[in-house]
Amino acid sequence: MRITAEGLSWSVAGRHVVRGVDLDIAPGETVGLLGPNGSGKSSLLRCLAGLRVPDAGTVRYDGRSIRDWSARRIARRIAFVEQDSGFDTDLRVADVVGLGRTPFRDRWHGPDATDRAVVAAALDRVGLTALAGRPWKGLSGGERQRAHIARAFAQQPYGLLLDEPTNHLDVKHQWELMELLAGTGQTVLVALHDLTLAARHCDRLLLMHQGRPVASGTPAAVLTAEHLAGIFEVDAELATDGLGRPAVSYRGPLRATSQAHAHVPAHVPAPALRQGTS
Ligand SMILES: Nc1ncnc2c1ncn2[C@@H]1O[C@H](COP(=O)(O)OP(=O)(O)OP(=O)(O)O)[C@@H](O)[C@H]1O
């Protein structure tokens, strides 16, 4: 599924949080959404998921504006895994994952054999089959995060939007999840703070700063010394991994004096995700 946005803006309490974002994510692409705290990543994802009504601009799935779509119609196309939702329930793990089937079910009917098979497959994909019957409340943070991703898979979406889905995961599960996402064949936009992980697994990166995309393209085009200093305000060294992708090691935060010299690039014009080929 192609996900596009044109001139997307969203503000709250008179403050512009998402500012004129243009993006174009091709079917099957895995795009990493990067940016410092407060740069607008979650807000952008919510606009793209139809959970925020933009002040201006349009979100389209396969060319069709979602402006008047119901939540149910959107949920049949796209799954959204929010950042640390704090969701709590007395349900079992399999029942929580089964919530992903809701958009496909008649209100008055329980899960059928197809629903149960889809949930079992989703649990298997994230390695949680053994925990299917466990109470949700007994899960660790990382297990909950994987279960939320299984719920998204159970939606059988054409596109996946994920907000820092790796933040509770150990290194092995971070790596496995990113491989899983990149291998789904679905269109994926995933917000990440681990720049090396993003560079390793994403086809493209989109870098946000103060509500705007300021760079987009291949990992090597986006993860530059200039952006690490100017946007992330860190003193970092860039190396190249065995696959020719950038790998970042940090020396520490940049001090105020050196930040004054860091260059913040201008807004990247549309189409934001069709640039950068190095
Ligand atoms: N509902 C809201 N009410 C008030 N301010 C909001 C709201 N939603 C977002 N903001 C503000 O908008 C800015 C962008 O927030 P957002 O959560 O989109 O950033 P982010 O890039 O996802 O940050 P992080 O990396 O910390 O998760 C922040 O300053 C945040 O406080």
Side-chain angles (χ1 to χ4, degrees):
M1 182 175 83
R2 183 176 289 276
I3 302 171
T4 50
E6 297 140 23
L8 200 64
S9 295
W10 179 73
S11 58
V12 60
R15 190 162 157 251
H16 297 290
V17 174
V18 176
R19 304 164 179 236
V21 172
D22 298 298
L23 58 79
D24 176 8
I25 308 176
E29 259 191 321
T30 299
V31 176
L33 184 60
L34 310 181
N37 290 143
S39 55
K41 302 179 299 297
S42 302
S43 303
L44 174 60
L45 288 171
R46 288 193 189 118
C47 289
L48 295 174
L51 298 178
R52 295 271 185 261
V53 179
D55 306 325
T58 309
V59 174
R60 294 180 198 278
Y61 299 165
D62 283 333
R64 279 167 291 179
S65 168
I66 65 162
R67 181 165 279 273
D68 299 319
W69 287 21
S70 66
R72 187 180 172 90
R73 187 173 175 199
I74 289 174
R76 286 179 173 194
R77 306 289 300 172
I78 210 157
F80 182 31
V81 179
E82 293 219 57
Q83 188 185 133
D84 221 353
S85 61
F87 175 81
D88 218 354
T89 175
D90 290 325
L91 292 173
R92 295 177 317 135
V93 174
D95 299 326
V96 171
V97 174
L99 295 175
R101 302 302 300 156
T102 310
F104 303 95
R105 273 213 305 266
D106 187 296
R107 178 184 309 212
W108 309 112
H109 290 90
D112 62 16
T114 303
D115 293 324
R116 281 189 284 274
V118 170
V119 167
L123 282 163
D124 182 52
R125 285 175 85 182
V126 300
L128 286 185
T129 300
L131 304 190
R134 285 252 207 109
W136 177 261
K137 285 188 169 156
L139 295 194
S140 73
E143 289 162 351
R144 285 182 184 210
Q145 201 155 26
R146 282 153 61 203
H148 279 304
I149 289 153
R151 179 188 47 74
F153 285 149
Q155 255 173 270
Q156 298 186 306
Y158 297 92
L160 280 157
L161 304 172
L162 305 106
D163 198 354
E164 295 178 40
T166 58
N167 62 352
H168 286 292
L169 302 186
D170 62 43
V171 176
K172 178 188 124 171
H173 286 110
Q174 288 183 20
W175 191 270
E176 285 183 353
L177 174 65
M178 291 306 297
E179 283 182 339
L180 193 58
L181 292 176
T184 57
Q186 291 154 348
T187 311
V188 176
L189 180 62
V190 52
L192 293 165
H193 280 302
D194 185 328
L195 306 183
T196 301
L197 192 72
R200 176 66 180 79
H201 295 282
C202 295
D203 302 317
R204 295 172 186 271
L205 302 178
L206 174 65
L207 175 57
M208 298 283 290
H209 183 59
Q210 297 178 348
R212 292 194 168 99
V214 290
S216 64
T218 62
V222 171
L223 290 183
T224 61
E226 184 186 47
H227 291 149
L228 290 169
I231 306 292
F232 291 101
E233 301 177 7
V234 288
D235 181 11
E237 195 168 319
L238 274 165
T240 303
D241 73 10
L243 292 174
R245 305 246 179 165
V248 187
S249 49
Y250 303 97
R251 293 191 199 94
L254 274 179
R255 305 298 164 203
T257 46
S258 39
Q259 278 168 29
H261 302 295
H263 172 66
V264 177
H267 171 51
V268 175
L273 285 175
R274 288 289 160 213
Q275 300 175 358
T277 51
S278 61

